[in-house]
């Protein structure tokens, strides 16, 4: 059976132990990147998310790359304790943005202002929930984090 367990964090090159494949970027709707090795001449793209794994290889200037783009954000509603994002409707991933407050919401809004990008409230795809439970717990934040690691949302 196929293992969905990522390499341990203490491996300084954990990306080399993770599953990935070459993809057609025009036909791939999950996170994929152009290969730096084959840039220009072959125009090859790779994806870890296609194999249900996390990309630990790509090191980009994230803020600069967002200029003018839309960042898909999954806010999870807290019931107390950790100070993060709060929805007056008490439902995770649901908008409008005017229902949300808290330090994580303020951080996302300030990052969008500084980075010149837009925020779109996005619910992770439901079909990922069971895969998420294999890596993490069953909370909405765990679900969102796993979805972000595969490129379905950009921030939780």
């Amino acid at each position: 059976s196929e293992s969905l367990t990522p390499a341990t964090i203490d491996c300084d090159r954990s990306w080399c132990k993770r599953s990935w494949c070459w993809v057609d970027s025009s036909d791939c709707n999950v996170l994929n990147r152009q290969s730096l090795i084959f840039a220009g001449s072959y125009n090859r793209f790779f994806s870890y998310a296609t194999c249900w794994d996390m990309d630990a290889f790509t090191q980009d200037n994230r803020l600069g790359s967002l200029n003018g783009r839309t960042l898909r954000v999954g806010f999870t509603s807290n019931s107390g304790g950790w100070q993060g994002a709060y929805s007056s409707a008490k439902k995770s991933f649901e908008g409008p943005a005017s229902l949300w407050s808290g330090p994580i919401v303020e951080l996302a809004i300030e990052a969008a202002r500084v980075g010149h990008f837009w925020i779109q409230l996005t619910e992770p795809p439901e079909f990922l929930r069971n895969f998420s439970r294999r890596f993490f717990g069953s909370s909405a934040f765990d679900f969102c984090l796993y979805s972000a690691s595969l490129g379905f949302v950009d921030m939780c």
Side-chain angles (χ1 to χ4, degrees):
S1 91
E2 183 179 1
S3 172
L4 294 175
T5 306
T8 59
I9 293 173
D10 61 346
C11 173
D12 64 342
R13 291 181 13 196
S14 66
W15 51 266
C16 64
K17 295 183 179 182
R18 295 176 189 260
S19 299
W20 65 275
C21 59
W22 297 113
V23 296
D24 176 354
S25 66
S26 65
D27 194 32
C28 183
N29 62 357
V30 296
L31 188 63
N32 63 83
R33 301 277 188 224
Q34 186 172 12
S35 169
L36 299 176
I37 297 169
F38 295 108
S41 57
Y42 294 104
N43 206 23
R44 304 276 314 253
F45 289 77
F46 65 93
S47 172
Y48 287 85
T50 302
C51 301
W52 306 107
D53 220 332
M54 296 175 229
D55 182 354
F57 179 73
T58 305
Q59 300 294 324
D60 290 336
N61 177 349
R62 302 283 184 211
L63 188 59
S65 70
L66 294 174
N67 189 4
R69 295 186 56 203
T70 299
L71 185 68
R72 299 163 300 166
V73 177
F75 289 138
T76 57
S77 183
N78 291 15
S79 59
W82 182 72
Q83 297 293 311
Y86 292 89
S87 166
S88 58
K90 297 188 181 353
K91 293 185 177 181
S92 295
F93 310 117
E94 294 186 15
S98 60
L99 296 177
W100 290 89
S101 63
I104 294 298
V105 176
E106 293 168 12
L107 171 68
I109 291 169
E110 180 63 10
R113 186 188 67 74
V114 171
H116 306 286
F117 60 87
W118 301 99
I119 294 174
Q120 175 184 330
L121 295 181
T122 303
E123 182 172 0
E126 187 60 34
F127 74 88
L128 288 178
R129 193 173 296 275
N130 286 333
F131 288 111
S132 170
R133 289 183 180 134
R134 293 181 185 177
F135 285 105
F136 305 110
S138 59
S139 74
F141 182 75
D142 293 332
F143 176 43
C144 189
L145 182 62
Y146 181 72
S147 299
S149 74
L150 296 178
F152 287 94
V153 297
D154 301 304
M155 177 182 166
C156 298

